[in-house]
Amino acid sequence: MTDSFDIDIDIDIDVDRDSVAMGDDVLSHHRRISVSVGTLLSAVLAEAAPEIRARGWSWVAEVDGHPAAVWSVDHGVRILVRDVPVTRGNAPRQIFFRYFVQIDPEWLYRRLVDGAEANRYVLEREYRPIGDRLREEEERRREKELPGRLLGVECSAALRGLGVDFDLHNDRLARFGVAGSTWRVRRMDTMTVTDHGRNRFLSSIRPAAVAEVWLAAAVGQRVREVRGLPRTPDHLLSQPDLYPMSRGVAGEPRWTTRGHPTVQLTGDDAVNAYRLSMGRTIGEIMQILTGR
């Protein structure tokens, strides 16, 4: 007697997944699905797949603790084991999806087929230079083919007037050097985020117009410091309402506003730039910093 006579029987399987960010682990991701005897394992894994639908994100589906497939929005289920019908005898007890970050799902699948261990940290290190190259190629393509630019004409001109040379400027990323340090400005959802050096976070600001005035002030103050010029006089600095946040990298203090505009800042320099830029235009900032 085989399970083929039990085709109308449903099997319950526990499903869970990794959390992907802070706050994502507030609620349990555990759930239970029911599948019919005779359903292919690949179809079971497709039904159990994470509810997160972000392109380029990779997941390794473990069946009872063993890697069984790579799943992504881009390619669906790429099975790593025999794709057999589930029966009461071989049905998974638990399916767990391990988050493998933004490792290209096709590359990840090929590495696992070739025998690599499903160790996220080892494979992430191996993929990093490949991913960096592909991301750089995509940013260069966008710069060449798309007309839009992240920073407005006035902000871009102000930064150039301060001696900034843009290494890259497309519709979602601006990258330039200031006093030997690389600054990056990115749009993340509705926030304009600025960091420099080894991904040192400086600011996250909404709306974009406020972020651009802050950026001109931050770059201008840094340029003045490098040139040995005095700091902006205190009487030109406003006193915005800022509230402490958890400390950032290396224990640097962080502050935020409440309400409009939305501003998050790390370090005294970022705060001083906001004190200078608050309520001013880019033209006014340039007049203060350069006399022009």
Side-chain angles (χ1 to χ4, degrees):
M1 189 72 66
T2 69
D3 287 318
S4 61
F5 293 99
D6 298 326
I7 194 168
D8 293 329
I9 294 177
D10 286 341
I11 300 171
D12 292 334
I13 302 172
D14 288 323
V15 177
D16 208 343
R17 69 167 174 84
D18 280 334
S19 296
V20 299
M22 291 180 61
D24 186 39
D25 54 359
V26 173
L27 299 176
S28 171
H29 307 305
H30 175 268
R31 57 194 174 95
R32 181 167 291 178
I33 64 172
S34 295
V35 299
S36 300
V37 166
T39 304
L40 286 174
L41 177 61
S42 58
V44 174
L45 295 175
E47 182 175 344
E51 73 281 9
I52 297 174
R53 296 293 190 265
R55 298 189 66 83
W57 290 22
S58 295
W59 303 78
V60 171
E62 293 183 352
V63 173
D64 295 330
H66 301 285
V70 172
W71 180 84
S72 66
V73 171
D74 310 72
H75 303 287
V77 173
R78 302 295 302 276
I79 201 79
L80 296 167
V81 296
R82 289 183 59 205
D83 193 12
V84 298
V86 299
T87 68
R88 288 185 300 175
N90 70 6
R93 294 184 298 277
Q94 183 183 66
I95 297 171
F96 195 97
F97 284 84
R98 301 286 180 192
Y99 179 46
F100 271 61
V101 294
Q102 282 77 56
I103 297 176
D104 176 66
E106 180 65 20
W107 181 90
L108 176 60
Y109 172 72
R110 291 299 174 192
R111 288 294 290 120
L112 296 181
V113 166
D114 290 342
E117 180 183 356
N119 184 311
R120 167 186 158 179
Y121 301 102
V122 171
L123 292 173
E124 190 176 16
R125 285 195 300 270
E126 182 180 342
Y127 181 72
R128 186 173 297 124
I130 300 172
D132 289 345
R133 174 178 57 79
L134 293 175
R135 282 188 291 271
E136 181 69 12
E137 289 175 356
E138 172 61 13
E139 298 299 348
R140 293 294 181 187
R141 182 196 68 79
R142 298 180 75 94
E143 182 181 47
K144 180 179 180 180
E145 298 179 6
L146 301 181
R149 293 295 180 259
L150 173 65
L151 301 177
V153 173
E154 186 180 17
C155 181
S156 300
L159 295 180
R160 291 190 178 94
L162 292 167
V164 164
D165 289 323
F166 284 91
D167 170 58
L168 175 73
H169 194 189
N170 61 26
D171 61 312
R172 65 184 184 184
L173 173 65
R175 189 173 65 207
F176 50 85
V178 180
S181 180
T182 299
W183 291 43
R184 295 189 309 165
V185 186
R186 295 169 290 158
R187 183 66 44 76
M188 300 181 67
D189 294 326
T190 60
M191 305 296 285
T192 300
V193 178
T194 302
D195 59 57
H196 75 64
R198 297 179 63 85
N199 294 324
R200 177 173 174 263
F201 172 86
L202 290 177
S203 71
S204 180
I205 301 175
R206 181 180 61 228
V210 175
E212 291 191 0
V213 182
W214 174 89
L215 183 63
V219 171
Q221 287 185 328
R222 178 60 179 147
V223 169
R224 286 180 64 88
E225 179 183 5
V226 170
R227 292 174 179 172
L229 298 174
R231 297 181 65 87
T232 308
D234 287 343
H235 74 273
L236 294 177
L237 304 181
S238 62
Q239 296 293 332
D241 290 329
L242 295 172
Y243 302 88
M245 301 174 63
S246 60
R247 289 185 172 266
V249 177
E252 285 190 292
R254 300 179 66 203
W255 294 270
T256 185
T257 57
R258 294 175 182 171
H260 182 84
T262 302
V263 178
Q264 297 177 356
L265 305 164
T266 299
D268 293 339
D269 289 345
V271 170
N272 286 333
Y274 186 57
R275 292 181 63 196
L276 176 61
S277 66
M278 184 179 175
R280 290 192 167 100
T281 66
I282 291 176
E284 291 169 337
I285 294 298
M286 293 297 289
Q287 176 65 33
I288 292 171
L289 294 174
T290 69
R292 298 194 300 270

